[in-house]
């Protein structure tokens, strides 16, 4: 049995705490792929100017959206959006 799965199930059933929702695993995978450019599975747009611009371009050019919520989509479409603003929302 996978220990990580048991750990997450224990936290969900005993503490009513969803680790997947709190840790944003998709965001962690995307950041890791961006940082590991040469060896990552996902390739990021070469012409992009930084992580946030890369995410915007991937979102616009993908067949299915990277983010699905209306709030996240409106934030990505915001021209003056900074990473610090997103981090403030994410971690406070």
């Amino acid at each position: 049995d996978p220990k990580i799965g048991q750990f997450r199930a224990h936290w969900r059933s005993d503490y009513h705490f969803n680790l997947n929702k709190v840790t944003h695993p998709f965001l962690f995978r995307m950041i890791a792929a961006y940082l590991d450019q040469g060896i990552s599975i996902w390739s990021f747009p070469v012409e992009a100017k930084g992580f946030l611009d890369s995410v915007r371009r991937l979102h616009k050019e993908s067949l299915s959206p990277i983010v699905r919520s209306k709030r996240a989509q409106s934030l990505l479409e915001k021209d003056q959006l900074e990473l610090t603003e997103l981090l403030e929302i994410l971690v406070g």
Side-chain angles (χ1 to χ4, degrees), residues 28-63:
F28 279 105
R29 287 193 306 262
M30 195 172 352
I31 291 170
Y34 179 77
L35 294 175
D36 296 335
Q37 286 284 320
I39 58 174
S40 70
I41 295 172
W42 298 348
S43 70
F44 276 77
V46 178
E47 307 84 25
K49 299 173 188 128
F51 176 72
L52 189 54
D53 190 43
S54 296
V55 172
R56 280 187 182 124
R57 295 207 44 189
L58 284 173
H59 182 72
K60 286 180 186 176
E61 297 171 6
S62 294
L63 295 176

Side-chain angles (χ1 to χ4, degrees), residues 5-23:
Q6 291 175 354
F7 179 75
R8 290 176 188 272
H10 169 69
W11 273 73
R12 181 174 279 191
S13 65
D14 294 353
Y15 300 112
H16 307 288
F17 192 82
N18 186 350
L19 286 172
N20 282 336
K21 186 175 182 182
V22 175
T23 58

